[in-house]
């Protein structure tokens, strides 16, 4: 029994020892496996890190290579640009050298062809840096071209605050490119001009009483024909009125030939062509003056001495400065030219004051005429701080108002409003009169600018006109004109009646030196037959003109 128990005890101990050894072996195997797994993970992580490091180095190398490639590309492009600029400059120098030895007429022909292929207006690139300017006043409110003038309306002066730089037309380009061209540029003296001709188709055709059946429409008074309106030549120098450190000077001498001389004539100054011979084509010099710019008076003063075109009016005698081919009645019968001394002073950014003295309206200083007497003029211009409005008002001519060749007393004002860069409007009104007017020629006043009134005595008239412009393209704008005029005793038109006039027109620049202006116009007289040589109260007319600059 004891032996049996001993055997059982020995077997149990052996079994327990075997189990313990098996467990220990199993634990050692698990530890080895864990260690091996950890070693594998560590090796994989190290491999991944090495791979990431290699990839990062490759990316840096690629980026660096791309950057170097871009820099090389930029450098190459800059080098090519430099070469192109050098070649262009060399080509310009070669061309300039060639031009120096060409005949003047050949240079002029080539300049005309070049400018015929140049757009009238080229807008700046959207991202372009604005060109530097010495102008010390706000930018011009309008683009010119296509509009005839880029500035707010003011007459009798250059623009105070503007450097007075004019891009050359073909004639000056040909002079600049020839011998002495640099001397021309340094002198700032320019010679240029234009040719303006027109044609009209009118419902007036009764010329049995006289050829001027379209009148009082101006300037194309003869119906259903072509006209040479004006050939104009300017010799001028514009003073630099942007600078404020020295006195500068300028001048203009103008010469005009054509039908339009009839509307600029001054009695006693080439006036026999019209007043004695009634020539349809003639010669005049509507502007002969000298400018003196003094920068030390307020923000600048311009003194103009000589014969000038009267300061007010939206319109102008010179074709390129006009908004349409024809003229309003308001403009057709007010004062044209004055001879004297006229000052324009810019007080501040908003206010400009003009004051002057002349010998009267449309009469030469040496001419014996009741209107040849000291005559004052005072005009004031105000522009709004936001550059959207301008008001220009004053008394353009005042003396004793005695009846004379054109001794008109004129109170006048214009308001111009800019809606945006494409639309603006301008409205002008005046009241004019003469005292003790005569209904027939006298020894003192044998001729009348306009007409003799239908009755003696006080001779008043008043008028208002509105122009509204719509820019329809870079190089074109559309115009609507409406006006009313009351010639109470007929001293302007020869008919004591009220008038209305309505017109629409287009101004189109096919290139830099050509302007085309078709328009359709309707005139009506309310109280008498004023058109078609006194046989009709209404008149339709289609008018178009062409301006060729040189």
């Amino acid at each position: 029994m004891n032996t049996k128990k001993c055997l059982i005890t020995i077997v149990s101990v052996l079994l327990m020892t075997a189990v313990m050894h098996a467990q220990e072996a199993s634990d050692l195997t698990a530890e080895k496996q864990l260690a091996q797994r950890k070693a594998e993970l560590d090796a994989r992580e190290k491999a991944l890190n090495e791979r990431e490091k290699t990839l990062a180095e490759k990316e840096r190398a690629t980026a660096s290579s791309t950057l170097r490639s871009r820099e090389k590309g930029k450098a190459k492009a800059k080098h090519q640009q430099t070469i192109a600029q050098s070649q262009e400059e060399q080509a310009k120098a070669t061309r300039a050298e060639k031009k120096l030895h060409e005949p003047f007429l050949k240079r002029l022909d080539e300049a005309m062809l070049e400018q015929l292929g140049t757009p009238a207006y080229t807008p700046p690139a959207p991202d372009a840096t604005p060109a530097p300017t010495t102008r010390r006043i706000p930018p011009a409110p309008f683009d010119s071209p296509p509009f005839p003038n880029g500035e707010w309306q003011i007459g009798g002066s250059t623009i105070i605050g503007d450097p007075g730089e004019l891009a050359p037309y073909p004639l000056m380009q040909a002079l600049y490119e020839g011998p002495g061209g640099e001397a021309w540029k340094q002198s700032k003296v320019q010679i240029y001009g234009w040719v303006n001709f027109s044609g009209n188709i009118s419902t007036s055709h009764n010329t049995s009483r006289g050829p001027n059946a379209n009148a009082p429409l101006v300037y194309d008074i003869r119906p259903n024909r072509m006209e040479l309106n004006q050939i104009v030549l300017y010799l001028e120098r514009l003073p630099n009125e942007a600078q404020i450190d020295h006195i500068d000077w300028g001048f203009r001498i103008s010469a005009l030939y054509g039908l339009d001389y009839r509307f600029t004539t001054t009695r006693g100054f080439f006036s026999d062509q019209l007043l004695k011979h009634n020539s349809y084509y003639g010669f005049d010099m509507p502007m002969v003056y000298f400018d003196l710019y003094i920068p030390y008076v307020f923000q600048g003063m311009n003194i103009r001495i000589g014969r000038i075109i009267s300061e007010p009016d939206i319109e102008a005698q010179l074709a390129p400065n006009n908004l349409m081919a024809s003229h309003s009645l308001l403009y057709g019968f007010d004062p044209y030219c004055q001879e004297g001394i006229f000052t324009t002073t810019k007080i501040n950014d908003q206010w400009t004051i003009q004051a002057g003295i002349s010998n009267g309206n449309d009469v030469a200083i040496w001419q014996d005429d009741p209107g040849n007497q000291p005559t004052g003029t005072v005009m004031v211009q105000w522009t709004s701080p936001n550059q959207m409005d301008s008001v220009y008002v004053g008394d353009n001519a005042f003396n004793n108002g005695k009846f004379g060749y054109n001794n008109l007393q004129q109170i006048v004002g214009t308001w111009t409003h800019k809606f945006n860069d494409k639309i603006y409007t301008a409205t002008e009104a005046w009241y004019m009169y003469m005292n003790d007017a005569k209904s027939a020629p006298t020894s003192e006043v044998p001729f009348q600018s306009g007409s003799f009134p239908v009755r003696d005595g006080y001779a008043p008239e008043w008028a208002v006109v509105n122009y509204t412009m719509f820019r329809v393209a870079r190089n074109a704008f559309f115009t609507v004109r409406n006006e009313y005029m009351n010639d109470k005793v007929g001293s302007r038109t020869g008919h004591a009646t009220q008038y209305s006039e309505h017109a629409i027109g287009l101004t189109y620049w096919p290139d830099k030196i050509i302007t085309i202006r078709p328009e359709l116009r309707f005139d009506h007289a309310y109280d008498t037959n004023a058109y078609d040589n006194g046989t009709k109260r209404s008149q339709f007319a289609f008018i178009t003109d062409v301006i060729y600059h040189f």
Side-chain angles (χ1 to χ4, degrees):
M1 187 68 177
N2 290 333
T3 304
K4 188 177 182 180
K5 286 181 181 180
C6 288
L7 287 171
I8 292 171
T9 300
I10 290 169
V11 171
S12 297
V13 171
L14 290 172
L15 286 171
M16 288 179 65
T17 301
V19 170
M20 289 177 65
H21 278 292
Q23 183 66 42
E24 288 177 359
S26 177
D27 289 343
L28 288 172
T29 302
E31 287 178 3
K32 287 180 180 180
Q33 288 176 347
L34 286 173
Q36 185 178 357
R37 181 63 175 169
K38 184 179 179 182
E40 290 175 355
L41 290 173
D42 289 343
R44 185 177 294 179
E45 184 178 358
K46 184 177 180 181
L48 288 171
N49 289 338
E50 291 293 332
R51 184 179 179 186
E52 288 178 359
K53 184 177 179 181
T54 302
L55 289 173
E57 288 176 352
K58 287 183 178 181
E59 287 177 359
R60 283 195 297 270
T62 302
S64 178
S65 174
T66 303
L67 183 60
R68 286 194 301 271
S69 177
R70 288 177 181 173
E71 289 175 350
K72 286 181 180 179
K74 288 180 180 179
K76 184 178 180 181
K78 188 175 182 179
H79 179 65
Q80 290 174 342
Q81 185 179 4
T82 302
I83 293 173
Q85 288 175 347
S86 177
Q87 291 174 342
E88 184 179 353
E89 289 172 1
Q90 187 175 359
K92 285 181 179 180
T94 302
R95 180 177 177 272
E97 179 66 24
K98 180 183 176 183
K99 289 284 185 184
L100 285 173
H101 303 288
E102 287 181 350
F104 171 75
L105 291 179
K106 184 177 181 181
R107 293 199 308 272
L108 179 61
D109 180 60
E110 290 173 350
M112 286 183 173
L113 289 174
E114 179 183 328
Q115 295 202 22
L116 280 170
T118 303
Y121 173 79
T122 302
D127 56 348
T129 303
T133 177
T134 57
R135 185 178 170 108
R136 59 181 170 89
I137 55 177
F142 312 109
D143 289 325
S144 178
F147 296 118
N149 196 337
E151 307 289 348
W152 296 114
Q153 180 202 347
I154 191 168
S157 175
T158 52
I159 302 301
I160 297 175
D162 186 83
E165 297 170 350
L166 182 67
Y169 283 110
L171 179 57
M172 284 312 302
Q173 181 178 329
L175 289 172
Y176 286 161
E177 292 175 339
E182 190 59 32
W184 274 108
K185 291 180 182 179
Q186 293 298 323
S187 73
K188 291 192 67 178
V189 174
Q190 290 212 6
I191 307 172
Y192 64 99
W194 58 88
V195 179
N196 173 226
F197 55 90
S198 68
N200 76 88
I201 301 172
S202 172
T203 56
S204 293
H205 50 78
N206 179 14
T207 57
S208 60
R209 301 182 184 180
N212 302 341
N214 276 349
L217 178 153
V218 291
Y219 288 173
D220 289 347
I221 52 179
R222 296 188 289 185
N224 305 307
R225 60 177 292 132
M226 298 283 292
E227 299 282 12
L228 172 61
N229 290 88
Q230 51 185 249
I231 301 175
V232 174
L233 184 68
Y234 278 0
L235 174 66
E236 77 171 10
R237 183 186 191 275
L238 297 175
N240 181 351
E241 302 198 4
Q243 54 81 24
I244 56 173
D245 56 11
H246 66 272
I247 294 173
D248 204 356
W249 59 277
F251 69 90
R252 174 180 288 173
I253 300 172
S254 65
L256 179 153
Y257 177 82
L259 176 74
D260 293 355
Y261 94 99
R262 298 173 65 92
F263 304 97
T264 65
T265 292
T266 284
R267 186 184 178 194
F269 189 70
F270 299 113
S271 60
D272 284 358
Q273 302 168 96
L274 174 64
L275 301 182
K276 291 187 178 180
H277 305 296
N278 194 27
S279 301
Y280 276 91
Y281 291 95
F283 174 80
D284 194 18
M285 300 178 72
M287 289 175 285
V288 181
Y289 59 73
F290 175 81
D291 277 333
L292 184 66
Y293 166 64
I294 304 175
Y296 316 119
V297 181
F298 290 95
Q299 292 189 7
M301 171 187 282
N302 186 82
I303 303 172
R304 181 163 289 182
I305 305 169
R307 187 184 189 204
I308 72 166
I309 289 177
S310 182
E311 291 176 344
D313 292 320
I314 298 170
E315 303 170 46
Q317 284 89 342
L318 288 310
N321 305 121
N322 210 42
L323 286 160
M324 300 182 76
S326 74
H327 289 278
S328 64
L329 295 168
L330 173 148
Y331 183 76
F333 296 100
D334 66 358
Y336 286 98
C337 294
Q338 297 171 330
E339 299 168 19
I341 301 174
F342 309 90
T343 67
T344 301
T345 307
K346 187 171 181 59
I347 304 300
N348 54 39
D349 291 343
Q350 271 69 61
W351 293 94
T352 300
I353 296 177
Q354 297 180 294
I357 185 167
S358 72
N359 70 308
N361 298 319
D362 302 304
V363 58
I365 294 175
W366 51 82
Q367 176 65 48
D368 184 17
D369 186 276
N372 185 1
Q373 57 176 294
T375 302
T377 180
V378 175
M379 299 294 296
V380 177
Q381 182 199 53
W382 173 84
T383 56
S384 62
N386 65 0
Q387 292 296 296
M388 300 300 281
D389 291 275
S390 170
V391 178
Y392 187 44
V393 298
D395 198 338
N396 179 46
F398 56 90
N399 53 40
N400 62 13
K402 188 176 181 179
F403 180 61
Y405 171 71
N406 204 30
N407 192 29
L408 293 166
Q409 312 298 290
Q410 184 189 35
I411 300 170
V412 60
T414 300
W415 169 52
T416 305
H417 175 69
K418 178 180 175 180
F419 293 98
N420 51 49
D421 288 339
K422 293 185 177 180
I423 304 173
Y424 78 97
T425 185
T427 302
E428 179 179 355
W430 53 238
Y431 182 85
M432 303 191 303
Y433 66 91
M434 283 192 284
N435 295 318
D436 301 320
K438 306 302 179 184
S439 59
T442 68
S443 59
E444 285 189 311
V445 190
F447 308 104
Q448 187 51 245
S449 175
S451 297
F452 290 95
V454 298
R455 60 177 181 270
D456 293 351
Y458 183 66
E461 51 275 332
W462 67 274
V464 59
V465 64
N466 172 265
Y467 277 86
T468 301
M469 279 58 65
F470 304 85
R471 189 169 183 175
V472 295
R474 293 178 179 178
N475 58 344
F477 67 92
F478 180 76
T479 302
V480 178
R481 181 175 69 205
N482 295 288
E483 73 168 318
Y484 170 86
M485 176 176 168
N486 189 349
D487 191 4
K488 290 191 173 184
V489 296
S491 67
R492 297 288 83 206
T493 66
H495 300 276
T497 183
Q498 304 170 75
Y499 296 91
S500 64
E501 181 261 330
H502 312 279
I504 55 174
L506 180 71
T507 298
Y508 168 59
W509 294 72
D511 51 58
K512 186 179 178 180
I513 60 176
I514 294 178
T515 312
I516 302 171
R517 300 184 297 192
E519 72 172 68
L520 183 64
R521 169 175 176 153
F522 174 71
D523 292 78
H524 180 71
Y526 288 85
D527 306 309
T528 188
N529 293 333
Y531 293 96
D532 204 10
N533 274 318
T535 62
K536 294 178 182 176
R537 292 199 178 188
S538 299
Q539 175 178 274
F540 279 99
F542 172 77
I543 303 168
T544 188
D545 76 342
V546 177
I547 305 169
Y548 184 89
H549 300 263
F550 59 83

